[in-house]
């Protein structure tokens, strides 16, 4: 991964130039939009099961950004169905979208959709996940290796605070079809692998969870716990959904709160688990900034403009340097849950309900 000056902390830093030098490695028949054509943006989200964020955050913030710009948009969710993903894309292209933004379910399906859009003169953006071997003109996401590094550092901090000697750490990795899951693992391996090699920590079971499915994660983690005779001292869980699955198993074994569990996405359940002491930390990604950056790019390329991002990410499959906007993630623990609420990412009323009301008050959430 190569970066230019700084990862983006805000929108509005993109410079406009000529579309002919888009940074895509194709000739003048590139999908570049039509300046005379009214922009219409199509967005395909992946599902609503792997993470609550897609429907509660991304859809909301993307629609708000397009509405604020007075641009027509069509935002749909493929619900983890590859056939539906392709059908939605075909319908959007036929309906005349000028930019198509996708969160791929896997790189093969994503590439087919991007290539078809490009052949029809539709500008394309990879949102949150890079499509390996794909043809998207831009990629908008967070620094995903940094996400994983924060998770690894968070788990180390929690194990240190608990005074655990030679802890056995299990991995619940994300979906093997999601390139982000690979990047997250690169990040937390950079922190934990040296500890395994020095024998300070013991490497426990290490498995990926198909489709980021929490139900499968619970089954996998139960098997891990059985396999190790209950000797798991920390769980590097790649997101809050997988973390909650592990916590549900730990609760059945009266180990919740004793075994640190990481997460990502700062969803309501993950934050509640943190307040209750069952989850060690999560990683907050300010989705509004990601959505705003993506919307700005989508509208610009739909008009035939070029945006200089100052950053690129190398596609490991094609070797192409994809112009990118990468935002910085933030680690969240019990003391900083209030920051996520203050940022407007989660609704205090949903977070601080029932038994969590007192915990919110105790942790400065107002």
């Amino acid at each position: 991964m190569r970066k230019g000056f700084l990862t983006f902390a805000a929108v509005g830093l993109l410079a406009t130039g000529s579309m002919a030098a888009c940074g895509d490695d194709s000739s003048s028949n590139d999908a570049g939009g039509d300046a005379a054509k009214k922009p219409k943006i199509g967005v395909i989200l992946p599902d609503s099961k792997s993470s609550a964020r897609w429907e509660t955050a991304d859809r909301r913030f993307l629609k708000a950004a397009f509405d604020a710009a007075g641009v027509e948009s069509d935002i749909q969710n493929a619900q983890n169905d590859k056939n539906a993903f392709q059908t939605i894309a075909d319908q959007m292209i036929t309906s005349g979208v000028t930019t198509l933004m996708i969160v791929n379910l896997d790189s093969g399906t994503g590439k087919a959709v991007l290539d078809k859009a490009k052949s029809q003169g539709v500008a394309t953006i990879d949102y949150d996940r890079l499509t390996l071997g794909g043809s998207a003109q831009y990629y908008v996401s967070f620094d995903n290796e940094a996400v994983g590094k924060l998770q690894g550092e968070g788990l180390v901090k929690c194990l240190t605070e608990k005074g655990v000697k030679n802890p056995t750490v299990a991995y619940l990795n994300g979906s093997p079809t999601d390139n982000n899951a690979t990047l997250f693992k690169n990040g937390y391996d950079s922190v934990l692998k040296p500890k395994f090699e020095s024998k300070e920590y013991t490497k426990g079971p290490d498995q990926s969870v198909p489709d980021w499915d929490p139900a499968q994660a619970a089954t996998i983690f139960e098997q891990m716990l059985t396999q190790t005779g209950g000797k798991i001292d920390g769980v590097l869980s790649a997101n809050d959904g997988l973390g909650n699955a592990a916590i549900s198993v730990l609760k059945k074994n009266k180990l919740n709160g004793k075994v640190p569990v990481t997460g990502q996405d700062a969803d309501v359940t993950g934050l509640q688990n943190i307040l209750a002491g069952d989850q060690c930390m999560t990683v907050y990604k300010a989705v509004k900034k990601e959505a705003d950056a993506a919307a700005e790019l989508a509208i610009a390329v739909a008009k035939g403009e070029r945006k200089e991002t100052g950053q690129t990410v190398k596609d490991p499959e094609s070797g192409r340097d994809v112009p990118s906007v990468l935002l910085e993630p933030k680690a969240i623990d019990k003391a900083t849950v209030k920051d996520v609420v203050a940022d407007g990412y989660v609704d205090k009323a949903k977070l601080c309900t029932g038994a969590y009301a007192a915990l919110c008050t105790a942790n400065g959430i107002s």
Side-chain angles (χ1 to χ4, degrees):
M1 183 181 294
R2 177 170 64 83
K3 302 178 188 175
F5 37 95
L6 291 171
T7 50
F8 283 76
V11 181
L13 302 178
L14 306 177
T16 305
S18 166
M19 198 65 204
C22 175
D24 193 87
D25 54 355
S26 309
S27 61
S28 60
N29 65 352
D30 262 357
D34 181 347
K37 197 171 183 181
K38 186 178 178 183
K40 179 181 178 182
I41 316 299
V43 180
I44 309 178
L45 300 174
D47 62 74
S48 55
K49 184 168 69 172
S50 67
S51 175
R53 64 166 281 194
W54 302 118
E55 288 297 326
T56 62
D58 295 86
R59 178 187 289 274
R60 171 167 56 110
F61 293 132
L62 284 167
K63 186 174 189 309
F66 294 132
D67 287 352
V71 172
E72 183 182 358
S73 64
D74 180 7
I75 303 174
Q76 297 190 45
N77 194 312
Q79 297 299 353
N80 201 37
D81 184 327
K82 294 178 187 178
N83 290 328
F85 192 96
Q86 291 179 310
T87 299
I88 291 169
D90 288 344
Q91 291 170 345
M92 287 182 172
I93 293 168
T94 301
S95 76
V97 297
T98 49
T99 305
L100 181 65
M101 185 190 308
I102 69 166
V103 186
N104 70 62
L105 295 179
D106 66 88
S107 286
T109 307
K111 174 175 166 46
V113 164
L114 292 171
D115 288 349
K116 182 167 186 178
K118 181 178 177 181
S119 73
Q120 299 295 311
V122 177
T124 52
I125 296 173
D126 270 331
Y127 182 69
D128 201 74
R129 298 173 183 169
L130 182 66
T131 300
L132 302 185
S135 55
Q137 290 166 258
Y138 292 95
Y139 169 50
V140 181
S141 189
F142 285 81
D143 184 334
N144 292 307
E145 288 196 5
V147 170
K149 188 175 180 184
L150 290 175
Q151 291 173 321
E153 291 170 347
L155 186 60
V156 169
K157 181 173 181 280
C158 291
L159 287 168
T160 301
E161 288 173 350
K162 287 184 176 294
V164 184
K165 302 297 182 186
N166 189 24
T168 297
V169 174
Y171 280 8
L172 276 176
N173 309 303
S175 174
T177 60
D178 181 356
N179 184 58
N180 282 2
T182 300
L183 298 175
F184 300 147
K185 192 172 192 295
N186 289 346
Y188 48 76
D189 267 342
S190 73
V191 176
L192 295 172
K193 198 172 179 182
K195 293 188 174 293
F196 298 142
E197 291 172 346
S198 69
K199 309 299 184 187
E200 184 182 352
Y201 285 14
T202 297
K203 180 72 179 290
D206 177 352
Q207 284 188 242
S208 296
V209 179
D211 301 323
W212 293 90
D213 182 4
Q216 293 191 62
T219 300
I220 289 168
F221 186 68
E222 197 146 27
Q223 292 168 346
M224 287 180 173
L225 210 56
T226 301
Q227 171 190 337
T228 59
K231 174 58 178 168
I232 291 178
D233 302 300
V235 184
L236 196 300
S237 169
N239 78 354
D240 289 341
L242 305 187
N244 189 56
I247 290 166
S248 69
V249 175
L250 292 170
K251 282 180 176 177
K252 286 199 300 183
N253 290 274
K254 296 182 170 46
L255 292 171
N256 59 303
K258 299 176 183 177
V259 178
V261 178
T262 66
Q264 174 189 181
D265 292 333
D267 67 23
V268 168
T269 301
L271 296 177
Q272 288 176 336
N273 284 335
I274 290 172
L275 291 172
D278 292 335
Q279 185 167 320
C280 160
M281 58 82 69
T282 188
V283 178
Y284 171 48
K285 300 184 294 188
V287 172
K288 185 178 187 304
K289 292 179 181 178
E290 183 182 22
D292 286 348
E296 182 185 353
L297 273 174
I299 294 165
V301 296
K303 294 177 178 177
E305 298 173 2
R306 176 198 181 196
K307 289 290 187 177
E308 293 286 359
T309 64
Q311 302 167 280
T312 61
V313 167
K314 185 174 285 296
D315 179 342
E317 190 165 301
S318 68
R320 183 170 70 103
D321 288 326
V322 185
S324 303
V325 176
L326 300 177
L327 297 107
E328 291 289 355
K330 179 180 179 180
I332 297 294
D333 58 16
K334 191 178 290 189
T336 52
V337 169
K338 62 180 182 290
D339 295 346
V340 183
V341 178
D343 210 25
Y345 184 71
V346 298
D347 183 357
K348 181 192 170 186
K350 290 181 179 177
L351 176 66
C352 303
T353 185
Y356 298 100
L359 291 170
C360 282
T361 302
N363 287 280
I365 300 169
S366 57

